[in-house]
Amino acid sequence: MTNRIIDFSTKLLDISRQKMELLSSTIEHIDDIQHNPIFMEEIEGLYLELFNEESELLEEKEMTMPCPECGFECARIASFCMACGRNLHEQPFKEDM
């Protein structure tokens, strides 16, 4: 995950800045926003768009590897296979050799 964050650091910082500005503006105008459901929906929509964009950037660079036991595609940063539970970073099993 660290490599993915470094690869997209400028874009992720920009998204964080946009989220901060949105939240700051929300706090500044909270009284007006609380009494207007349209404003609430717009703010929720904008925040969700930024959140999704951020998530997509992190997922885009995810590196995977097949589990040596069952072949399930696992994230390289995972410790265990999500399908069979094998420890992905231990020495190969004897039958693997």
Side-chain angles (χ1 to χ4, degrees):
M1 179 167 232
T2 303
N3 288 340
R4 287 179 275 161
I5 292 171
I6 291 170
D7 289 344
F8 291 117
S9 60
T10 303
K11 184 64 178 165
L12 290 169
L13 286 171
D14 185 51
I15 291 170
S16 294
R17 182 191 52 74
Q18 289 177 47
K19 287 190 328 189
M20 182 194 67
E21 288 173 357
L22 178 62
L23 293 173
S24 293
S25 178
T26 302
I27 291 169
E28 185 178 329
H29 303 354
I30 193 70
D31 291 331
D32 297 327
I33 293 168
Q34 284 179 328
H35 303 294
N36 190 329
I38 295 172
F39 284 160
M40 288 295 287
E41 287 177 20
E42 286 182 19
I43 291 168
E44 288 172 357
L46 289 170
Y47 192 85
L48 187 57
E49 284 178 29
L50 292 169
F51 177 80
N52 288 339
E53 185 178 354
E54 183 178 49
S55 296
E56 287 172 10
L57 286 174
L58 294 177
E59 289 173 6
E60 185 177 316
K61 282 290 189 175
E62 185 170 346
M63 295 177 12
T64 60
M65 66 181 209
C67 172
E69 184 72 19
C70 69
F72 183 77
E73 209 54 36
C74 303
R76 287 194 184 268
I77 63 171
S79 296
F80 296 93
C81 174
M82 296 299 287
C84 71
R86 176 171 179 186
N87 184 334
L88 298 170
H89 303 291
E90 68 183 14
Q91 295 297 322
F93 290 142
K94 288 181 183 174
E95 60 264 20
D96 292 344
M97 297 176 123

